């Protein structure tokens, strides 16, 4: 585990001693270290979330600590974009435990920096709420980039679907749709938690600029719209692929039906001339069989040309 202590002086984020720290950043703690941290700050152990699972939820809860006093516990889901991977593998939790005077953040090893974008506006009177707001703004900026990446992937699949119906197009679309499900469900859950955060009495009692709160709401609204747009694009692309497969199958069936009709006419002629009855033309001449074959071929070819002209 790595613990870094920060305070704010001269409008900057600076390293600090433990007793003077306003922000305690905990990175990649083990279960034993989590237990020590919980006992030291009197924090219930079930509030530490360091690993992401699909069933994990964002949440906010208030509690009292003998060491920290009246506190709030907040879990949000961030996203890591440093290397190509599925959405599921890029999601990870960030836990904030805070009050008006101090904030503890717990992240896993994949979070190389949660220093908020708001640090440009830091002052010595900064409160944990400003740090959380900055982290949320940075988080939604990352989500917006990832949603736009998915849109480009959907557009590329849509272009390929117009010219081919190979299996790879279907599997790629299924992968994108799976990513969209994880991203959509995470953001829906997180939106509800952030709304509770912004409405909580503790958060509202802290010094947070209204413009930053409005920016959070704007970014949430933007991601909601992008998610809805991408969901519709996935459905449209899936419908396009399905229609093209149906069209291709119909074309094959039409071809087989036409071929069956062309072959059926010579077959009928051969069958008629093969009936064991008298009076058939050419039955007494060695050229009779050849004449029947030529006649059947000409009639089949005529049928083919007729069907082709009718675009069957």
């Amino acid at each position: 585990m790595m613990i870094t202590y920060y305070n704010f002086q001269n409008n900057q984020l600076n390293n600090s001693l433990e007793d003077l720290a306003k922000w305690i950043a905990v990175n990649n703690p083990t279960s034993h270290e989590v237990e020590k941290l919980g006992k030291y700050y009197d924090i219930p152990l079930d509030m530490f979330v360091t690993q992401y699972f699909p069933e994990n939820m964002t949440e906010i809860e208030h509690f009292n600590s003998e060491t920290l006093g009246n506190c709030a516990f907040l879990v949000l889901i961030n996203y890591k974009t440093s290397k190509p991977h599925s959405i599921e593998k890029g999601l990870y939790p960030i836990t904030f435990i805070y009050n008006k005077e101090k904030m503890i953040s717990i992240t896993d090893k994949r979070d190389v920096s949660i220093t908020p974008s708001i640090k440009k506006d830091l002052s010595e009177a900064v409160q944990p709420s400003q740090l959380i707001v900055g982290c949320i703004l940075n988080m939604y900026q990352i989500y917006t980039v990832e949603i736009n990446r998915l849109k480009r992937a959907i557009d590329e699949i849509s272009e390929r679907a117009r010219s081919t119906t190979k299996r790879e197009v279907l599997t790629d679309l299924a992968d994108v749709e799976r990513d969209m499900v994880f991203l959509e469900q995470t953001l829906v859950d997180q939106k509800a938690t952030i709304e509770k955060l912004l409405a909580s009495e503790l958060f509202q009692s802290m010094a947070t600029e209204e413009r930053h709160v409005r920016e959070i709401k704007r970014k949430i609204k933007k991601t909601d719209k992008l998610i809805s747009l991408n969901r519709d694009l996935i459905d449209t692309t899936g419908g396009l692929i399905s229609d093209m497969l149906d069209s291709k199958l119909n074309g094959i069936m039409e071809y087989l039906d036409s071929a069956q009709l062309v072959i059926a006419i010579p077959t009928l002629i051969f069958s008629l001339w093969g009936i064991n009855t008298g009076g058939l033309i050419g039955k007494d001449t060695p050229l009779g069989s050849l004449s029947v074959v030529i006649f059947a071929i000409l009639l089949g070819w005529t049928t083919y040309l007729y069907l082709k002209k009718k675009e069957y």
Side-chain angles (χ1 to χ4, degrees), residues 103-290:
M103 181 182 77
I104 302 173
S105 63
I106 301 101
T107 64
D108 76 353
K109 60 184 179 182
R110 291 177 291 180
D111 195 338
V112 294
S113 174
I114 64 166
T115 304
S117 58
I118 199 177
K119 69 179 183 179
K120 297 179 181 179
D121 301 323
L122 290 178
S123 66
E124 294 185 18
V126 69
Q127 290 190 0
S129 59
Q130 293 173 263
L131 297 172
I132 295 173
V133 165
C135 186
I136 292 174
L137 290 173
N138 184 61
M139 189 181 299
Y140 271 86
Q141 183 63 34
I142 294 173
Y143 277 125
T144 300
V145 171
E146 189 60 22
I147 294 171
N148 288 332
R149 183 194 68 79
L150 285 178
K151 182 181 182 301
R152 291 193 296 272
I154 296 169
D155 291 341
E156 189 268 337
I157 292 172
S158 179
E159 287 298 321
R160 288 164 54 197
R162 297 174 190 276
S163 58
T164 181
T165 54
K166 291 184 178 180
R167 180 173 178 271
E168 290 78 6
V169 177
L170 292 173
T171 55
D172 289 346
L173 182 63
D175 290 340
V176 170
E177 188 166 12
R178 177 184 172 87
D179 284 343
M180 185 58 63
V181 168
F182 276 101
L183 193 58
E184 182 178 12
Q185 294 300 318
T186 297
L187 290 176
V188 167
D189 179 48
Q190 186 146 284
K191 175 184 176 181
T193 299
I194 292 176
E195 288 176 346
K196 291 180 181 178
L197 168 69
L198 298 179
S200 66
E201 293 183 6
L202 177 59
F203 186 85
Q204 290 183 350
S205 68
M206 302 164 81
T208 304
E209 293 190 38
E210 183 62 29
R211 64 186 179 92
H212 289 145
V213 174
R214 289 197 302 269
E215 182 67 10
I216 288 176
K217 293 179 179 179
R218 188 187 70 82
K219 285 184 177 293
I220 290 176
K221 184 177 181 179
K222 180 179 179 180
T223 55
D224 285 347
K225 182 175 182 179
L226 290 174
I227 286 289
S228 178
L229 175 63
N230 281 6
R231 171 58 63 189
D232 289 344
L233 288 175
I234 288 176
D235 293 341
T236 301
T237 303
L240 171 64
I241 294 176
S242 178
D243 290 344
M244 290 191 67
L245 287 173
D246 290 342
S247 177
K248 186 174 183 180
L249 181 60
N250 290 337
I252 293 174
M253 294 305 297
E254 288 179 2
Y255 174 81
L256 292 176
D257 290 341
S258 298
Q260 184 179 11
L261 182 59
V262 171
I263 295 173
I265 293 177
T267 301
L268 176 62
I269 295 173
F270 293 145
S271 299
L272 290 175
W273 255 265
I275 297 175
N276 189 18
T277 59
L280 292 177
I281 300 174
K283 70 183 182 70
D284 296 326
T285 173
L287 297 178
S289 297
L290 179 61

Side-chain angles (χ1 to χ4, degrees), residues 271-309:
S271 299
L272 290 175
W273 255 265
I275 297 175
N276 189 18
T277 59
L280 292 177
I281 300 174
K283 70 183 182 70
D284 296 326
T285 173
L287 297 178
S289 297
L290 179 61
S291 301
V292 171
V293 171
I294 294 174
F295 176 68
I297 292 175
L298 289 175
L299 190 57
W301 181 253
T302 302
T303 304
Y304 166 75
L305 294 177
Y306 175 79
L307 293 175
K308 185 177 181 181
K309 182 178 180 181

